Amino acid sequence: MEGANNQQLWTQTLVQIELQVSKANFNTWFKDTFIIKIEDNCVYLGVPNPFVRDWLLNKYHKMILKILRDLSGDVRGVEYQIAKNTQKRVEDLPIPKKQESIQATTLPLNEHYINKEDGLNPKYTFDNFIIGPFNENAYAASQAVLKNPGHSYNPLFIHGNTGYGKTHLIQALGNHLKKAFTDIKVHYTTSERFASDYISSTQGSRINQFKEKYRKYDVLIMDDIQFLSKKEATQNELFHLFNILHENNKQIIFSSDMHPNLIPDVADRLKSRFNQGIIIDIQAPDHESRAQIIKTKAKSLNVNLSDEIITYLADVVDGNIRELEGAVNTLLCHTQLKNRDLTVLDIKNLIKSNSRPKKMASIKEVIKTIADFYDISEEDMLNKNRRKEVVRPRQITMYILREIFNISYPTIGDKMGGKDHTTIMYSCDKVKQAMKIDSALSQEVNQLIGLLRV
């Protein structure tokens, strides 16, 4: 796909984008964008400046990628590069002199560069990895792997909700291992890419080449394992690959947005392999960690934020790491547009106008989701059934309705089959106390909360 074909593809993409965003956002963020080239099934999208690049990556990347894939089934990824409409690359332009003012701030040109040989992004390192109570166990496990790869914690399985820093951690591991042990072969991939590679090899009679490719690695890092759900043939191939690598003391690292035992439609024998090493979760960043993430991101962009502003952002932006960094990018962009530092009032108005309220599930949706999760009927959830396999999901439902959705005790009692509010209070307290000592229960509850909050 070259020249006119690229232009036609992007024109069709813009038509679809314009239907999904406001006119103001379309004119602000998609003007002067174009396809530079398509190489190795990756679309290289030209953007006019660093702010547009960062904004598209953080706010619109999934939408852009989905539309491109719908229009052209060959597209597998999108990279954003600063370029003029003449398609003269920014690397060919004179480098401006560094200025002290915030208007001179730019993002690193190689921020989203991927090493084609090992799939790793060099921007992911331990030097810029924020450690806090929410991820300190996962970090400690990664350090143990660094000291004795292939033996300590093999496989290492990291799980947690989207945007909690799993990819950063496992890629930092890969980058560090690559430097510390120059004679080993490290490879990072996603389960989707692995599946696509496997399917292509079977269709092209290259299955032996596929096997040889993955079995030669000393360290295999596979992201987003949950996408192997229902892919039986790919699961089977991964099972045999796992056995070969593990028997030869090759380090295996996985990540997923949920505990491997909770991933639906994955073979039990593969789940047992995931459980052979250590499974650790990364939770939502606490307030202090959110503040540190904001401070670090602001420093990397040369944005001066007062302690008052950092505290405010940590209070109101309680989402994942990407959302926190996106908030700082938003401040940087508007600081440059206004050509002055933003006041606390400016920031409050900006965050309010740019934040999208989370869609909260209704009480009925909560009950249905949890019932489906534990494979019991909604009727059993609401009646007086005292079976153990029903009581625990029922109590968890009460806890989530109260603690996460702030539903009153009487309302929960009414919606849960007419139960007394003291019963609801007892159930909530029992789950809260149990979560402190039962890590499996805590993981289940966090997984359910992730399913219920969009």
Side-chain angles (χ1 to χ4, degrees):
M1 230 182 278
E2 291 292 333
N5 289 336
N6 290 352
Q7 183 178 352
Q8 182 181 9
L9 174 61
W10 188 238
T11 299
Q12 293 173 342
T13 303
L14 289 175
V15 170
Q16 296 296 320
I17 291 173
E18 195 168 9
L19 295 174
Q20 299 185 42
V21 303
S22 68
K23 184 176 181 180
N25 280 332
F26 183 82
N27 291 334
T28 301
W29 303 113
F30 293 94
K31 183 181 179 181
D32 296 329
T33 57
F34 64 101
I35 293 178
I36 299 173
K37 63 179 179 178
I38 298 179
E39 186 175 278
D40 296 331
N41 296 327
C42 179
V43 173
Y44 291 83
L45 192 63
V47 297
N49 56 58
F51 319 115
V52 172
R53 177 183 60 185
D54 212 46
W55 192 269
L56 292 183
L57 181 69
N58 283 283
K59 297 292 184 179
Y60 296 112
H61 177 73
K62 287 185 178 180
M63 178 187 70
I64 293 171
L65 182 57
K66 182 180 184 303
I67 293 173
L68 283 168
R69 282 179 172 175
D70 289 342
L71 293 172
S72 176
D74 295 333
V75 174
R76 291 291 178 266
V78 180
E79 295 283 343
Y80 304 90
Q81 296 184 349
I82 304 168
K84 290 190 174 182
N85 274 320
T86 58
Q87 297 197 17
K88 186 175 183 181
R89 300 289 298 276
V90 70
E91 290 89 340
D92 299 329
L93 301 176
I95 301 175
K97 294 181 179 180
K98 183 177 179 182
Q99 299 178 15
E100 294 183 358
S101 66
I102 193 167
Q103 286 75 25
T105 303
T106 59
L107 300 177
L109 292 178
N110 66 342
E111 184 175 358
H112 307 295
Y113 166 76
I114 306 296
N115 186 319
K116 290 184 179 181
E117 291 184 3
D118 54 37
L120 291 167
N121 188 329
K123 80 166 184 174
Y124 291 123
T125 68
F126 287 116
D127 292 336
N128 55 20
F129 184 76
I130 304 300
I131 305 166
F134 72 106
N135 65 4
E136 59 187 358
N137 289 335
Y139 175 78
S142 72
Q143 299 308 296
V145 169
L146 289 178
K147 294 177 182 178
N148 197 13
H151 299 277
S152 297
Y153 303 148
N154 195 21
L156 171 63
F157 198 114
I158 306 294
H159 70 95
N161 284 344
T162 299
Y164 283 3
K166 302 185 299 297
T167 297
H168 190 149
L169 177 61
I170 62 178
Q171 287 219 31
L173 246 174
N175 281 316
H176 193 99
L177 286 167
K178 189 171 66 172
K179 291 181 179 179
F181 304 93
T182 55
D183 58 333
I184 67 173
K185 295 179 180 179
V186 180
H187 185 71
Y188 166 88
T189 187
T190 64
S191 67
E192 283 188 302
R193 196 175 301 134
F194 179 80
S196 176
D197 199 4
Y198 170 69
I199 293 170
S200 297
S201 70
T202 58
Q203 294 174 344
S205 300
R206 293 180 290 101
I207 189 63
N208 288 333
Q209 293 178 357
F210 171 85
K211 293 178 183 291
E212 290 173 5
K213 170 186 174 181
Y214 282 94
R215 292 178 182 183
K216 71 182 180 183
Y217 297 124
D218 301 294
V219 179
L220 177 65
I221 305 171
M222 190 172 294
D223 213 346
D224 292 326
I225 283 293
Q226 71 274 6
F227 291 119
L228 288 180
S229 177
K230 298 183 179 180
K231 295 182 174 69
E232 294 181 10
T234 305
Q235 289 179 34
N236 184 58
E237 190 61 36
L238 179 59
F239 173 79
H240 293 298
L241 172 62
F242 181 101
N243 289 340
I244 293 293
L245 295 178
H246 197 270
E247 288 170 4
N248 288 278
N249 296 321
K250 309 298 186 181
Q251 180 66 50
I252 308 166
I253 301 166
F254 294 118
S255 87
S256 171
D257 64 3
M258 65 183 75
H259 192 287
N261 292 344
L262 301 178
I263 303 175
D265 300 306
V266 169
D268 288 340
R269 65 175 187 170
L270 187 55
K271 287 183 179 180
S272 72
R273 296 300 187 271
F274 295 152
N275 283 271
Q276 277 187 226
I278 186 171
I279 300 172
I280 298 181
D281 70 321
I282 296 180
Q283 300 183 0
D286 56 287
H287 184 275
E288 289 185 5
S289 298
R290 293 200 299 272
Q292 185 59 45
I293 291 165
I294 293 167
K295 187 181 297 185
T296 301
K297 180 65 175 179
K299 183 178 180 181
S300 71
L301 296 176
N302 292 328
V303 179
N304 294 318
L305 298 181
S306 67
D307 290 341
E308 181 183 9
I309 290 174
I310 291 173
T311 300
Y312 171 74
L313 290 175
D315 284 337
V316 299
V317 185
D318 62 351
N320 58 45
I321 295 173
R322 292 192 190 119
E323 290 175 349
L324 292 167
E325 294 182 338
V328 179
N329 290 330
T330 300
L331 300 188
L332 170 62
C333 179
H334 284 266
T335 297
Q336 299 214 5
L337 291 174
K338 292 178 180 292
N339 198 28
R340 63 172 175 81
D341 290 336
L342 300 181
T343 66
V344 175
L345 181 59
D346 288 331
I347 292 172
K348 287 182 178 181
N349 291 331
L350 187 59
I351 295 297
K352 181 179 179 181
S353 62
N354 280 276
S355 63
R356 182 181 63 182
K358 293 184 177 180
K359 176 187 173 185
M360 304 297 285
S362 66
I363 294 178
K364 181 175 177 60
E365 289 172 330
V366 172
I367 295 172
K368 182 180 186 308
T369 299
I370 297 177
D372 290 344
F373 186 87
Y374 288 104
D375 195 24
I376 60 177
S377 70
E378 293 180 58
E379 182 180 351
D380 281 341
M381 286 277 279
L382 301 178
N383 63 26
K384 296 183 179 180
N385 192 317
R386 299 299 301 171
R387 298 199 318 269
K388 181 179 179 180
E389 60 267 28
V390 174
V391 171
R392 176 159 150 165
R394 184 187 295 140
Q395 291 178 333
I396 290 173
T397 302
M398 296 174 185
Y399 169 82
I400 289 178
L401 287 172
R402 177 59 184 171
E403 297 296 325
I404 306 303
F405 293 85
N406 295 316
I407 307 298
S408 68
Y409 291 121
T411 299
I412 296 173
D414 179 60
K415 298 296 184 180
M416 294 290 292
K419 294 175 177 58
D420 185 82
H421 75 278
T422 56
T423 301
I424 309 301
M425 293 173 67
Y426 168 79
S427 297
C428 292
D429 186 64
K430 186 171 182 179
V431 173
K432 184 182 297 184
Q433 296 305 318
M435 287 174 62
K436 294 179 181 179
I437 58 176
D438 188 342
S439 60
L441 173 62
S442 179
Q443 291 172 1
E444 287 180 19
V445 173
N446 287 329
Q447 179 62 30
L448 283 166
I449 292 171
L451 292 173
L452 292 165
R453 300 184 70 172
V454 181

